[in-house]
Amino acid sequence: MSEQQLDQAAEPVFRTIQKVISEVARIAPEDILLDNAVTGIQNVDSIILMEIVVRTELELDIEIDEGELFDLHYVRDFVSLCQRLTDRTT
Amino acid sequence: MKRKPRLLLISPTATFFGRSADHQKFKRECREFQFFDYTWTGFAAGLLIVGALTPPSYDVRYIDENIEPVDFDEPADLVALTGMTAQADRMYEIAAEFRSRGVPVVAGGLHANLLPHEVMRHVDSVCVGEAEAVWPELLHDFEQRQLKPMYRQTSRTDMRQAPMPRYELAQRRYYPSIWVETSRGCPHSCRFCAATIRYRDKLGYKSVDEVIREVELVRDRWENPYILFSDDNFVVDRNRTRELLRRLKPLGIKWSGQSDVSFYKDPDILELMHESGCMTMLIGFESVSSDTLNGIDERNWKYRALSTYEEATKVIQDHGIGVYGAFTLGLDTDTKDSFEATSRFIKANYIAGIQVSCVTPFPGTPLRDDMAAEGRILEDRPWSDYTVFDAVFQPKNMTPKELEEGTLRIYRDFYNREFSLKKTRHFKAIYRNLVKKETERKGAVAASGRSMV
């Protein structure tokens, strides 16, 4: 996963995101790390990113405000955002 | 043991985007623009074809100067250079360095095809035409120490016989996108297009089997490659395009291509594109002004297509395929208002990405002939300014500086957080719709236990 570990609660969210990115961008799940830059994940350009966001929303049953996507720099940021939204809906 | 002759294939440094300080600052600082650079950077595909045409008795090395410096003292028996016009000055510098060390240098590629006699003054041999048609003869003459100053193609290359590029030569380097060629040429002869001059009346296709073999090889060599089909126009032969897309579907790649706008009327192709992993298509709109499009190509095709641009963009993007719109400004009917009109069109239609260039009078084009006759070419501008983002001629209705600033203003209007947010909302709605449809379809298939036709 990453040198820095996640909160235990965020672990399932990360796994879901890993699965979504892996399916959409066709990258091996183990290559998707928390410290990957969002623009630096192989195959992930802005259009692919949209598909990842939409599929993540459906998988986690959340709605991500588009404005928040602009503050994402690393996969870790995306996981944290989704975790926060998941907490809010449960 | 006798050492193998060493062939260096070199792609000289190129400037992506304009050379002005304002262009470079924008490129450096605009986060939204980074995706563009990332997506459209690739290797010099022509050199990999030359590599494939070179027998195994040679030790071949590919050097991309955009990634690594050229070591002029590296052992070499023959150097082959390629380049677009913006790379020509650097190509000549590299040639001079190797020739001063007694290493023969040959050159091909777009600029060599446009101005062979100029290139010939800087190298030992210039290749005019497709590599397949001239390289074997050149290599034979090199071995006999009898290189001719020029090798000119005399008959068309049968693309079905073209060798697979030696992708392994570029494999060690990191390229975000991998170029794959399925055809050469374009049916539209736009007045400013240098590529069309090169392949005039030569629309050639690789067989679908061959393309699939190449894509499979690329997929095996690079992990999760993003493939850019380099064809000038990917959708000319619709039946072939359909067959190719069907065959690409199971390969699980992501890809982009280039074409005109016409395929929006073909629902089969649109669906197959999305299903086969097409992310974006670069479409040469050129202009949103009917005055400017009138006469821009020999058949006036783009002028007639203008009324379809809005509908076409919507239909294509609703299928999950982002439209990268290519626009060319500075033609004689363009005024200072053209920048605002272009920007309005781009934003009103939520175009996914843009390439907005200053029209450039490339050598050999009808456009250059007209401008030269009127004394409007800025002769003091070096070839390295022919980036298509720097103005190298005197426009009719504005200054060169105003043309450069106007095109950059369109980029600023488009690649910024406020508009990116609007665009993101637009595309998110499209993708939500597509993903829902896909989920429903899969659900229906699972429920019925059979595939729905």
Side-chain angles (χ1 to χ4, degrees):
Chain A
M1 190 169 49
S2 153
E3 314 79 61
Q4 277 183 283
Q5 294 299 304
L6 274 178
D7 288 348
Q8 224 172 3
E11 197 60 46
V13 172
F14 177 54
R15 296 289 165 220
T16 302
I17 290 170
Q18 229 177 1
K19 175 175 151 271
V20 169
I21 297 177
S22 163
E23 284 170 3
V24 174
R26 290 158 190 180
I27 304 172
E30 59 273 19
D31 290 342
I32 300 154
L33 307 174
L34 285 168
D35 296 326
N36 283 146
V38 173
T39 54
I41 305 172
Q42 261 185 327
N43 286 354
V44 179
D45 71 2
S46 53
I47 298 277
I48 300 179
L49 206 55
M50 270 314 93
E51 195 173 339
I52 290 169
V53 169
V54 167
R55 286 186 190 274
T56 304
E57 284 184 341
L58 288 172
E59 288 274 346
L60 295 174
D61 196 20
I62 55 175
E63 187 151 351
I64 299 168
D65 178 61
E66 294 82 359
E68 301 217 49
L69 295 173
F70 290 87
D71 297 322
L72 304 179
H73 295 279
Y74 299 99
V75 171
R76 172 185 303 283
D77 302 332
F78 188 47
V79 173
S80 302
L81 170 65
C82 294
Q83 173 62 34
R84 226 173 38 240
L85 294 169
T86 311
D87 288 346
R88 215 177 286 167
T89 52
T90 50
Chain B
M1 201 173 76
K2 199 182 160 198
R3 133 180 123 73
K4 285 181 172 184
R6 196 139 200 264
L7 168 65
L8 302 185
L9 305 171
I10 303 177
S11 174
T13 312
T15 307
F16 174 79
F17 211 44
R19 298 183 78 206
S20 76
D22 285 348
H23 278 84
Q24 289 300 314
K25 185 169 185 283
F26 173 76
K27 187 186 164 197
R28 218 171 32 247
E29 294 177 358
C30 178
R31 185 168 185 244
E32 288 77 18
F33 192 57
Q34 306 306 316
F35 285 117
F36 186 93
D37 209 355
Y38 173 82
T39 309
W40 292 100
T41 315
F43 50 66
L47 290 180
L48 304 193
I49 296 173
V50 170
L53 293 164
T54 305
S57 54
Y58 281 77
D59 176 14
V60 183
R61 187 163 172 242
Y62 169 78
I63 301 163
D64 184 343
E65 207 190 10
N66 297 288
I67 294 177
E68 64 195 306
V70 177
D71 176 1
F72 296 108
D73 295 317
E74 179 172 347
D77 298 289
L78 180 64
V79 170
L81 296 165
T82 188
M84 295 183 288
T85 298
Q87 292 166 284
D89 295 329
R90 182 60 188 154
M91 188 160 79
Y92 299 154
E93 286 171 6
I94 295 172
E97 289 285 351
F98 279 108
R99 293 179 89 198
S100 72
R101 289 161 173 80
V103 181
V105 177
V106 302
L110 188 57
H111 189 69
N113 276 262
L114 298 176
L115 277 185
H117 291 280
E118 178 194 279
V119 176
M120 207 163 70
R121 292 200 296 273
H122 298 270
V123 297
D124 294 279
S125 294
V126 61
C127 299
V128 184
E130 292 154 286
E132 293 88 347
V134 293
W135 188 252
E137 186 192 347
L138 182 148
L139 218 48
H140 171 268
D141 290 354
F142 163 71
E143 288 166 6
Q144 307 301 313
R145 296 176 181 273
Q146 288 180 337
L147 276 176
K148 296 185 194 82
M150 187 180 290
Y151 292 84
R152 197 180 274 278
Q153 178 171 19
T154 50
S155 59
R156 291 171 62 168
T157 294
D158 181 353
M159 287 280 286
R160 289 167 303 176
Q161 308 295 327
M164 189 182 294
R166 269 184 74 182
Y167 289 106
E168 75 272 18
L169 293 171
Q171 193 187 349
R172 284 190 299 114
R173 293 154 196 85
Y174 171 70
Y175 287 104
S177 316
I178 307 300
W179 292 102
V180 172
E181 180 184 50
T182 93
S183 70
R184 288 179 196 161
C186 174
H188 307 300
S189 295
C190 293
R191 292 179 68 239
F192 53 81
C193 181
T196 312
I197 300 280
R198 185 181 185 191
Y199 295 124
R200 199 191 301 271
D201 81 7
K202 280 186 288 196
L203 206 62
Y205 299 98
K206 284 190 177 174
S207 73
V208 170
D209 284 343
E210 177 59 23
V211 176
I212 295 300
R213 267 196 298 276
E214 281 191 31
V215 171
E216 284 172 340
L217 184 134
V218 165
R219 200 187 49 175
D220 293 342
R221 286 201 177 277
W222 280 274
E223 218 174 318
N224 314 299
Y226 190 98
I227 290 179
L228 291 183
F229 288 113
S230 63
D231 310 35
D232 294 314
N233 197 325
F234 189 75
V235 293
V236 180
D237 180 338
R238 293 294 163 78
N239 287 333
R240 177 183 175 275
T241 307
R242 268 187 215 98
E243 191 197 341
L244 177 58
L245 295 172
R246 276 189 206 105
R247 301 272 304 274
L248 286 175
K249 253 170 72 170
L251 301 187
I253 56 164
K254 296 284 184 192
W255 63 273
S256 290
Q258 312 176 78
S259 74
D260 60 48
V261 81
S262 59
F263 68 96
Y264 88 95
K265 285 183 179 160
D266 197 322
D268 277 359
I269 285 194
L270 288 164
E271 280 183 27
L272 284 166
M273 276 182 166
H274 177 62
E275 290 165 3
S276 62
C278 178
M279 292 283 104
T280 57
M281 288 297 284
L282 180 83
I283 294 177
F285 291 115
E286 317 308 350
S287 174
V288 294
S289 153
S290 57
D291 285 346
T292 299
L293 288 179
N294 196 1
I296 205 167
D297 61 273
E298 273 175 12
R299 296 184 296 131
N300 234 3
W301 190 90
K302 290 194 174 171
Y303 172 70
R304 285 182 277 119
L306 174 61
S307 59
T308 68
Y309 279 6
E310 291 192 8
E311 185 192 355
T313 303
K314 181 171 179 352
V315 171
I316 294 167
Q317 296 204 140
D318 281 351
H319 280 79
I321 301 158
V323 169
Y324 261 92
F327 300 88
T328 302
L329 283 126
L331 283 153
D332 284 356
T333 42
D334 285 333
T335 65
K336 290 177 202 170
D337 294 334
S338 303
F339 304 112
E340 178 56 34
T342 307
S343 199
R344 258 200 318 273
F345 171 86
I346 289 167
K347 291 167 84 170
N349 292 287
Y350 295 100
I351 285 181
I354 55 169
Q355 181 188 302
V356 183
S357 54
C358 302
V359 67
T360 301
F362 282 105
T365 58
L367 180 74
R368 188 173 184 93
D369 295 342
D370 293 350
M371 286 188 181
E374 293 166 14
R376 291 164 58 196
I377 306 288
L378 301 180
E379 302 289 355
D380 60 333
R381 303 297 294 264
W383 290 134
S384 47
D385 281 357
Y386 279 60
T387 58
V388 309
F389 298 100
D390 296 279
V392 292
F393 72 102
Q394 175 58 57
K396 209 163 207 167
N397 299 313
M398 62 194 93
T399 66
K401 180 94 178 141
E402 284 169 335
L403 174 55
E404 286 177 6
E405 284 174 354
T407 52
L408 186 56
R409 205 160 52 242
I410 298 175
Y411 275 98
R412 287 205 177 97
D413 262 6
F414 182 80
Y415 288 106
N416 61 68
R417 186 161 174 155
E418 186 192 351
F419 185 66
S420 285
L421 182 58
K422 286 185 184 163
K423 205 174 61 168
T424 300
R425 290 200 169 114
H426 181 78
F427 275 99
K428 209 174 131 191
I430 290 174
Y431 266 94
R432 192 176 282 145
N433 199 22
L434 285 169
V435 169
K436 271 187 186 154
K437 269 189 194 163
E438 190 195 313
T439 311
E440 283 165 15
R441 200 171 57 231
K442 278 183 182 161
V445 171
S448 67
R450 63 186 171 84
S451 186
M452 286 170 71
V453 178

